[in-house]
Amino acid sequence: MRPVRRVRRSRMRGPHGQRGVVLFVAIIVLIVMTLAGLALLRQMSGSNAISGNVAFKVNATSTADAGAEKARQWVLDPANNKNNSSAADGYYATWVGGIDPAQYDWDHHSGSSTLDDGTGNRVRYIINRLCETEGLDPNNPAQRCSDVAQQSGASHSGAGYGSGSAPPPPIPFFRITTRVDGPRNTISYTQILLY
């Protein structure tokens, strides 16, 4: 009888031996790619929120122009008495010792007019004549105004024509402070000087 030979089979390193390792590596790569995608998505939503807030702030600041324009129209109206305060119109004939717009009680003490621009912004303003004493004309010697502009109706070039008429009376400056309350709790303050 013939002795039976045992044939040893050697393990072959081929595709059959690496299936588990490739699956494991593929799952790790897939998890890393998912986390990177989620981080990118979160960063994009944060950027969108920031740009949206900036857009609301820009809109609120540009809407303040409507309040400043309405205040300017009130100041330029010759029918309004500018020597006396009119809280209903948001006008104060004195500089009120300096106003901090962030601390000012806009709801109860300003008496300012309100505009609605149709975009959800609420516009309020106050006008301060930059003079010390209410009830006195800026031309009164007892009145002290912080800034006074001289009107000029004549040209400063060319030859002089004699003494001419007296210069027009000085005009006091007016400070217009505007507050805009917008969507997402946006608050914007602007101040302009007007004469």
Side-chain angles (χ1 to χ4, degrees), residues 26-41:
I27 288 174
I28 289 175
V29 169
L30 185 61
I31 289 172
V32 168
M33 288 175 58
T34 302
L35 291 175
L38 289 174
L40 183 62
L41 183 65

Side-chain angles (χ1 to χ4, degrees), residues 16-28:
H16 300 293
Q18 294 183 2
R19 278 189 200 166
V21 174
V22 170
L23 181 62
F24 182 69
V25 170
I27 288 174
I28 289 175

Side-chain angles (χ1 to χ4, degrees), residues 3-171:
V4 178
R5 275 189 182 168
R6 290 193 172 174
V7 178
R8 282 181 135 183
R9 293 187 181 176
S10 63
R11 291 191 179 181
M12 301 177 81
R13 296 194 182 250
H16 300 293
Q18 294 183 2
R19 278 189 200 166
V21 174
V22 170
L23 181 62
F24 182 69
V25 170
I27 288 174
I28 289 175
V29 169
L30 185 61
I31 289 172
V32 168
M33 288 175 58
T34 302
L35 291 175
L38 289 174
L40 183 62
L41 183 65
R42 182 180 170 117
Q43 183 181 8
M44 286 176 45
S45 67
S47 298
N48 288 341
I50 290 170
S51 61
N53 288 341
V54 168
F56 279 120
K57 183 73 172 173
V58 168
N59 183 29
T61 303
S62 65
T63 302
D65 290 343
E69 179 60 27
K70 188 168 183 183
R72 186 183 77 81
Q73 290 172 359
W74 191 93
V75 169
L76 295 177
D77 187 352
N80 295 324
N81 180 0
K82 295 171 195 71
N83 294 332
N84 295 313
S85 295
S86 173
D89 295 314
Y91 176 75
Y92 299 93
T94 65
W95 55 58
V96 191
I99 292 178
D100 180 5
Q103 302 299 321
Y104 192 75
D105 189 358
W106 290 89
D107 293 325
H108 300 104
H109 299 292
S110 71
S112 62
S113 299
T114 301
L115 303 167
D116 185 1
D117 69 340
T119 61
N121 291 316
R122 182 178 178 203
V123 183
R124 293 176 282 177
Y125 65 85
I126 55 173
I127 307 165
N128 295 102
R129 181 179 73 161
L130 297 181
C131 293
E132 183 177 53
T133 308
E134 181 175 353
L136 291 180
D137 188 78
N139 298 319
N140 189 321
Q143 178 67 282
R144 285 186 11 187
C145 294
S146 67
D147 293 314
V148 178
Q150 291 287 342
Q151 289 184 8
S152 175
S155 172
H156 294 290
S157 62
Y161 296 104
S163 62
S165 62
I171 303 171

